[in-house]
Amino acid sequence: DGGITQSPKYLFRKEGQNVTLSCEQNLNHDAMYWYRQDPGQGLRLIYYSQIVNDFQKGDIAEGYSVSREKKESFPLTVTSAQKNPTAFYLCASSILEISAEAFFGQGTRLTVV
Amino acid sequence: GQNIDQPTEMTATEGAIVQINCTYQTSGFNGLFWYQQHAGEAPTFLSYNVLDGLEEKGRFSSFLSRSKGYSYLLLKELQMKDSASYLCAVLDSNYQLIWGAGTKLIIKP
């Protein structure tokens, strides 16, 4: 079955540690996205990539980093520079068409203690 | 600035009809999406509108008026499983999705 997989679903980390969230898709989609979702707010774009080895900052990229070494994979690292990292993180992918729907992973809830 | 407004929460009765509104002010417009998101889960695509008018898909319909910067999602014959958040998102002139905060829909028996 084709789909997009995020792991893990729940993640706990100590303050000051970097943590990497995994996102893999087998839909052959060119575009991949990372969003952050906080209560009472819309999804906010962290980073996106439309092609391998290239990615662009979104609205809230500070404190985050990504890589796109393979078409299928777009991991997100939450660094210690991110001041408020506790959130629900969603990865998505789509084809490169205006009307294309985004397919989302199940999300990773990161809690930093 | 860019802004998407949706009601925070709505309550409806099983079997009834509910309309969830979305108003937007964005730099350009290349279409409007509606997604459904159950608590703690991934959003799933419901509809895409780029031209004015009503698009019907089973129990769900979505309407767009570009001149008014307005859309609504209409859900008919409500079922308990429709309890979820409904997210409105607009594709702006830079082809970036601007998301509303979502409307939490509570269905009562």
Side-chain angles (χ1 to χ4, degrees):
Chain A
D1 283 337
I4 179 165
T5 303
Q6 284 184 246
S7 61
K9 189 165 185 178
Y10 299 97
L11 190 56
F12 295 86
R13 277 295 181 269
K14 290 185 178 178
E15 197 171 333
Q17 289 181 334
N18 291 356
V19 60
T20 297
L21 281 57
S22 169
C23 179
E24 303 276 332
Q25 55 99 359
N26 60 4
L27 299 166
N28 200 34
H29 286 169
D30 287 305
M32 296 189 75
Y33 311 85
W34 274 105
Y35 289 98
R36 172 179 171 141
Q37 188 174 35
D38 293 288
Q41 296 191 42
L43 299 182
R44 291 184 291 167
L45 183 64
I46 305 173
Y47 269 98
Y48 67 99
S49 168
Q50 295 182 331
I51 194 169
V52 173
N53 291 324
D54 187 51
F55 46 83
Q56 306 297 327
K57 291 182 179 180
D59 299 321
I60 56 166
E62 186 175 346
Y64 299 98
S65 65
V66 293
S67 62
R68 187 86 185 276
E69 296 176 4
K70 298 186 299 181
K71 189 174 184 178
E72 302 79 17
S73 179
F74 192 42
L76 173 75
T77 297
V78 184
T79 76
S80 56
Q82 168 49 232
K83 296 193 187 312
N84 186 18
T86 294
F88 188 54
Y89 291 88
L90 284 162
C91 180
S93 70
S94 72
I95 61 173
L96 285 173
E97 248 182 52
I98 291 173
S99 62
E101 64 176 282
F103 289 80
F104 285 84
Q106 64 174 358
T108 294
R109 186 165 298 280
L110 173 65
T111 303
V112 176
V113 296
Chain B
Q2 309 205 84
N3 198 45
I4 310 278
D5 283 317
Q6 306 178 234
T8 303
E9 188 175 294
M10 298 181 71
T11 301
T13 305
E14 192 177 12
I17 298 173
V18 70
Q19 177 175 311
I20 301 174
N21 296 325
C22 170
T23 57
Y24 61 89
Q25 293 170 317
T26 56
S27 57
F29 179 84
N30 281 301
L32 185 145
F33 293 82
W34 283 97
Y35 282 79
Q36 180 191 61
Q37 185 180 24
H38 286 97
E41 296 184 11
T44 54
F45 171 81
L46 290 177
S47 67
Y48 170 75
N49 294 67
V50 67
L51 299 176
D52 289 352
L54 187 68
E55 297 270 348
E56 296 186 77
K57 231 189 237 186
R59 293 190 299 115
F60 291 10
S61 303
S62 55
F63 171 83
L64 175 67
S65 168
R66 288 172 298 172
S67 62
K68 295 182 179 176
Y70 167 70
S71 172
Y72 67 73
L73 182 69
L74 192 71
L75 290 73
K76 302 177 185 176
E77 300 168 19
L78 286 169
Q79 302 175 9
M80 297 304 292
K81 68 178 181 180
D82 297 330
S83 291
S85 288
Y86 291 86
L87 313 179
C88 171
V90 171
L91 199 62
D92 71 8
S93 56
N94 294 320
Y95 301 99
Q96 295 300 315
L97 271 177
I98 311 300
W99 293 82
T103 298
K104 183 178 180 181
L105 178 63
I106 299 168
I107 310 295
K108 294 186 174 179

